[in-house]
């Protein structure tokens, strides 16, 4: 008996989102999933952290900060033109500095010192929590293994960073006056740097993501980065709550 032939017609691929919708979807990830909404950050900005909790956050966040130029070096190596590599190399210099005593990592060390932490202790990283190490390693390996579109898209948490930096500066000045104001230089610098860096990265992602699949992978990469930052704070917050029990 003859049987009807199976219908092997494939559905056409989904149409790309318009540039306006694609950008809106990227921005929505930050609005809904960025760590400015994390309970630990909300407590920080409300002035509810003890000195010990704030110092623990500085120690563990520094482990993330010192790996930013590492992940940016991995991204730089993937970029196809001298122009793009020069643009991304600036990010490494922003954090490592043009010479000793400059850059974002140095400014974070000074934040630690302003909070009463020892510089050498921060650099040794003995007190970094295991969950923070895993989150940071996951992000660095993502940038090592994923294609340029996804590695760059993951950096688009910078779209939300300038507003967070302004909120943090106000919170530290208002609620934590025991930290010297000079220690807040990292936050002040990142307001303008984050705005510039996010614009450059957004332009790249918008230009590279031509298909719906590309666009969805970019959005997923940004979600992943938000999960990294959220996981980091989950770990720090969990240590604080365990200490209180």
């Amino acid at each position: 008996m003859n049987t009807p032939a199976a219908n092997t017609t494939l559905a056409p691929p989904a149409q790309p989102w318009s540039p306006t919708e694609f950008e809106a979807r990227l921005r929505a990830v930050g609005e809904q999933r960025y760590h400015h909404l994390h309970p630990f950050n909300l407590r920080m900005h409300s002035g509810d952290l003890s000195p010990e909790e704030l110092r623990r956050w500085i120690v563990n966040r520094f482990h993330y900060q010192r790996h930013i130029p590492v992940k940016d070096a991995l991204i730089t190596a993937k970029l196809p033109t001298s122009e793009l590599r020069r643009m991304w190399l600036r990010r490494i210099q922003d954090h490592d500095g043009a010479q000793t005593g400059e850059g974002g990592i140095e400014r974070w060390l000074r934040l630690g010192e302003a909070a009463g932490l020892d510089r050498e202790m921060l650099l040794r990283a003995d007190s970094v929590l295991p969950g923070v190490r895993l989150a940071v390693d996951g992000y660095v390996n993502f940038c090592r293994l994923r294609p340029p579109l996804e590695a760059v898209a993951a950096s688009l948490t910078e779209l939300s960073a300038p507003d967070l930096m302004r909120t943090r500066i106000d919170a530290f000045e208002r609620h934590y006056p025991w930290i010297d104001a000079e220690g807040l230089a990292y936050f002040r610098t990142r307001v303008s740097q984050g705005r510039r860096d996010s614009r450059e990265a957004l332009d790249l992602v918008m230009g590279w993501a031509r298909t719906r699949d590309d666009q969805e992978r970019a959005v997923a990469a940004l979600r992943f980065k938000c999960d990294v930052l959220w996981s980091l704070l989950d770990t720090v917050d969990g240590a604080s709550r365990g200490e209180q029990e």
Side-chain angles (χ1 to χ4, degrees), residues 29-80:
V29 173
E31 292 167 3
Q32 298 165 9
R33 302 170 69 101
Y34 190 53
H35 64 164
H36 68 302
L37 298 172
H38 194 284
F40 187 87
N41 267 339
L42 296 179
R43 290 200 297 125
M44 179 193 297
H45 299 152
S46 297
D48 295 332
L49 296 186
S50 67
E52 184 58 33
E53 287 176 308
L54 198 54
R55 291 185 183 110
R56 181 183 293 113
W57 171 74
I58 291 171
V59 168
N60 284 278
R61 176 72 189 200
F62 178 67
H63 187 68
Y64 170 82
Q65 298 296 142
R66 74 192 306 183
H67 283 83
I68 291 176
V70 176
K71 66 91 179 173
D72 281 327
L74 292 166
I75 293 174
T76 302
K78 299 173 184 286
L79 298 176

Side-chain angles (χ1 to χ4, degrees), residues 128-139:
V128 176
L129 296 165
V132 171
R133 294 183 189 275
L134 285 171
V136 172
D137 285 351
Y139 181 39

Side-chain angles (χ1 to χ4, degrees), residues 183-223:
L184 307 183
Y186 177 84
F187 305 140
R188 301 185 197 282
T189 302
R190 286 306 297 170
V191 172
S192 58
Q193 286 181 348
R195 190 179 299 114
R196 177 203 64 200
D197 290 350
S198 62
R199 183 71 258 171
E200 291 175 344
L202 182 60
D203 287 345
L204 287 178
V205 170
M206 297 292 292
W208 286 344
R210 297 294 188 181
T211 68
R212 178 69 168 270
D213 181 65
D214 287 342
Q215 292 171 333
E216 290 179 346
R217 287 190 294 112
V219 171
L222 183 50
R223 287 198 189 107

Side-chain angles (χ1 to χ4, degrees), residues 148-164:
L149 170 64
E150 292 168 66
V152 171
S155 76
L156 286 175
T157 47
E158 291 168 330
L159 289 167
S160 304
D163 287 342
L164 177 60

